[in-house]
Amino acid sequence: MSMCVLTYGITVEKLSQADLPLERIEYFVDLKEVYCTYYKEKKISLLGAAKALKIPYQGCKTIKEESDVMLKLYNKLLEDGCRMEHYWQALAREEKSTSNDFVIPPVTDVMRLKKQPYPHYIILDFEATCENNRRIMPQEIIEFPSVILSSKDLSIVDQFQVYIRPVAHPKLSKFCIELTGIQQEWVNAGATFDVAYRAYHEWLVKNKMVTSDGAQFIFITCGDWDLKTCLPGQITYSNMSVPNHFTRWINIKRSFSEFYKTKMGDMISMMDHLKLPMMGRHHSGIDDCRNITRIVQRMLQDGAVLR
């Protein structure tokens, strides 16, 4: 399993000299840089940042106390909507792992898991162009994210995310930007949907999700909209076709309601029911994928079989 290290004002050179298992560290985040950039503040100490954000702390004299403050600062940044993946820095090495399992680590005794009908689940959550109280036609996909989850041990196999440049309505509405957090310059720099789809297919093949024996997974979505409405509309507009594995999916809201015997209307209510804290920003596609993945992990830990 690869790791992501949180630091505060430590450069990659100093990190490389530290007594750490560098062969397992793929990324690091300098929270000092994140804090100063995100909150538009000048350089400040770790305790100064904690005080400014009213983060409670016992002290900062020992490594354990300092680590506790950094973790609370990290969570506060997530709560405030900071896109932490924009600040991940790769620790250079000759053979760079593509795994991102440090984001949502497996937290279960695999011997207790029930056998699932699929070796992998791919959590998918599109974001698309939108207006407030008005439907856009065509409604184009602007974020294409996914997380591959192993049903065997609940580990994260890989993640995928691209922003897509809309064609019919190239300028995002103010409502869309505020809802998703996706900025105009991000989609301006993105590829068109056909190019993004080819990259996604290559990612599936690279991770052996699509083989000569067929698809080795089934999609999981939060509702039916992503693959019943959004993708068909996009491929019609783009004059494309997609494989059959895009026509089969598990609606996690329905599975959740059936398993826990309680009706849940959205991702937030499912997380509240499981007492899972929100990670990242709601309606960010990749953050929603990660949070839905955490819901799926908990369900499988609790004995659910998703089919």
Side-chain angles (χ1 to χ4, degrees):
M1 181 189 299
S2 55
M3 293 166 38
C4 178
V5 173
L6 299 181
T7 69
Y8 196 88
I10 297 179
T11 64
V12 65
E13 290 78 12
K14 290 183 179 179
L15 185 63
S16 300
Q17 296 169 6
D19 185 18
L20 293 168
L22 296 179
E23 69 281 357
R24 292 180 58 197
I25 299 173
E26 186 173 352
Y27 295 90
F28 76 99
V29 175
D30 182 358
L31 290 175
K32 187 174 186 178
E33 177 191 354
V34 180
Y35 175 90
C36 294
T37 303
Y38 188 70
Y39 295 113
K40 296 181 172 59
E41 296 283 352
K42 296 180 179 179
K43 293 183 179 180
I44 190 171
S45 68
L46 178 58
L47 283 185
K51 290 177 181 177
L53 296 176
K54 299 180 180 178
I55 295 173
Y57 60 91
Q58 298 298 319
C60 203
K61 294 181 179 180
T62 67
I63 293 177
K64 184 178 183 303
E65 289 174 343
E66 191 174 81
S67 298
D68 182 62
V69 175
M70 282 196 288
L71 185 57
K72 289 179 178 178
L73 174 58
Y74 180 87
N75 288 331
K76 175 62 175 173
L77 283 158
L78 289 176
E79 289 174 7
D80 287 352
C82 179
R83 301 294 299 275
M84 295 300 295
E85 65 269 24
H86 291 174
Y87 299 94
W88 291 339
Q89 300 182 60
L91 195 65
R93 58 169 57 88
E94 291 183 5
E95 293 185 11
K96 181 171 177 283
S97 169
T98 58
S99 172
N100 286 321
D101 53 6
F102 61 85
V103 176
I104 316 168
V107 284
T108 189
D109 179 357
V110 297
M111 299 301 292
R112 298 174 57 190
L113 294 175
K114 290 186 178 179
K115 183 175 176 59
Q116 301 295 318
Y118 302 96
H120 300 92
Y121 294 111
I122 298 185
I123 292 79
L124 173 71
D125 190 86
F126 291 129
E127 299 300 328
T129 53
C130 55
E131 288 274 8
N132 190 18
N133 298 321
R134 185 172 74 86
R135 186 175 181 183
I136 290 180
M137 294 297 292
Q139 189 174 31
E140 298 171 87
I141 295 171
I142 55 175
E143 185 183 0
F144 197 149
S146 285
V147 173
I148 302 176
L149 175 69
S150 167
S151 66
K152 182 178 179 180
D153 61 6
L154 304 193
S155 63
I156 306 304
V157 177
D158 203 357
Q159 299 177 72
F160 180 93
Q161 183 204 30
V162 293
Y163 293 113
I164 299 173
R165 185 173 71 253
V167 176
H169 305 282
K171 183 174 176 57
L172 301 182
S173 68
K174 181 182 178 183
F175 172 79
C176 183
I177 293 172
E178 291 176 349
L179 178 69
T180 66
I182 297 172
Q183 301 301 303
Q184 184 67 51
E185 56 267 29
W186 300 353
V187 296
N188 287 349
T192 53
F193 179 78
D194 58 330
V195 175
Y197 170 75
R198 286 197 296 272
Y200 188 80
H201 177 72
E202 291 169 2
W203 176 73
L204 292 177
V205 172
K206 180 194 74 172
N207 283 291
K208 297 182 174 57
M209 294 297 106
V210 178
T211 69
S212 57
D213 294 327
Q216 305 302 304
F217 70 94
I218 190 169
F219 285 111
I220 289 181
T221 58
C222 191
D224 295 321
W225 174 82
D226 297 89
L227 293 175
K228 186 177 181 179
T229 303
C230 184
L231 182 63
Q234 178 69 66
I235 61 175
T236 297
Y237 176 72
S238 299
N239 195 25
M240 295 171 56
S241 61
V242 293
N244 286 336
H245 49 255
F246 281 98
T247 64
R248 299 181 299 110
W249 66 90
I250 294 171
N251 180 342
I252 195 62
K253 291 193 295 186
R254 186 178 300 120
S255 299
F256 189 101
S257 297
E258 292 173 354
F259 181 69
Y260 291 110
K261 310 300 182 188
T262 179
K263 189 172 182 179
M264 292 293 160
D266 57 19
M267 184 188 78
I268 298 297
S269 61
M270 289 188 286
M271 296 182 71
D272 287 344
H273 183 84
L274 297 176
K275 294 181 171 56
L276 293 173
M278 176 76 179
M279 288 176 58
R281 177 191 180 114
H282 189 26
H283 294 304
S284 155
I286 189 62
D287 288 344
D288 283 355
C289 283
R290 290 167 180 163
N291 283 309
I292 296 166
T293 297
R294 295 164 66 219
I295 292 169
V296 174
Q297 285 178 315
R298 176 64 67 81
M299 289 182 67
L300 298 186
Q301 286 178 285
D302 288 349
V305 176
L306 300 179
R307 60 179 77 249

